Amino acid sequence: GEAPMAVAGLPAKTELLGAVPNPSGPRTMIRFALADRQHVSLNVFDIQGRRVAAVLDEVREPGAYQEMWSGRDAAGHPLASGIYYAVLRAGEYEKTSPIVVLR
């Protein structure tokens, strides 16, 4: 069968592409692609499963995106060095990607 092709440069599938740089300093860009118009939520959790930051919660058009996360919690406090998890939800899609924060 034919592989799915992106039309007019749009992503062929919705996916969480991970963070760059990773390991990161205080700031990291979390990259993802949307194949179609979706309500998207992008949150960061600590290793205990607590949500520490809400990066994005809105409807987005198809395309490739990168959202900056400051390495801070919802109150604006810098988070400690360690492993965190970016969780992208878009429609039925859900994916988790680790982010290593080094201060």
Side-chain angles (χ1 to χ4, degrees), residues 2 14 29 31 33 48 51 53 63 66 68 86-87:
E2 293 288 316
T14 296
M29 299 301 287
R31 300 173 307 140
Q48 282 82 37
R51 186 171 77 171
Q66 52 181 19
M68 197 272 291
V87 178

Side-chain angles (χ1 to χ4, degrees), residues 5 7 11-14 21 26-27 39-40 45 48 50 52-54 63 65 67 70 75-77 82 85 95 98:
M5 296 201 37
V7 178
K13 62 181 180 176
T14 296
R27 285 198 169 95
H39 181 268
V40 180
F45 293 84
Q48 282 82 37
R50 292 181 299 234
V52 294
Y65 295 95
E67 292 294 323
S70 64
H77 302 116
Y85 296 94
K95 176 89 183 284

Side-chain angles (χ1 to χ4, degrees), residues 67-93:
E67 292 294 323
M68 197 272 291
W69 175 51
S70 64
R72 294 174 182 271
D73 66 16
H77 302 116
L79 291 164
S81 295
I83 299 172
Y84 296 86
Y85 296 94
V87 178
L88 178 74
R89 290 188 181 98
E92 299 294 306
Y93 179 89

Side-chain angles (χ1 to χ4, degrees), residues 8-45:
L10 292 176
K13 62 181 180 176
T14 296
E15 58 185 328
L16 176 59
L17 300 168
V20 261
N22 196 7
S24 75
R27 285 198 169 95
T28 188
M29 299 301 287
I30 302 169
R31 300 173 307 140
F32 63 94
L34 294 178
D36 42 40
R37 188 172 194 268
Q38 295 274 16
H39 181 268
V40 180
S41 69
L42 179 59
N43 295 289
V44 178
F45 293 84

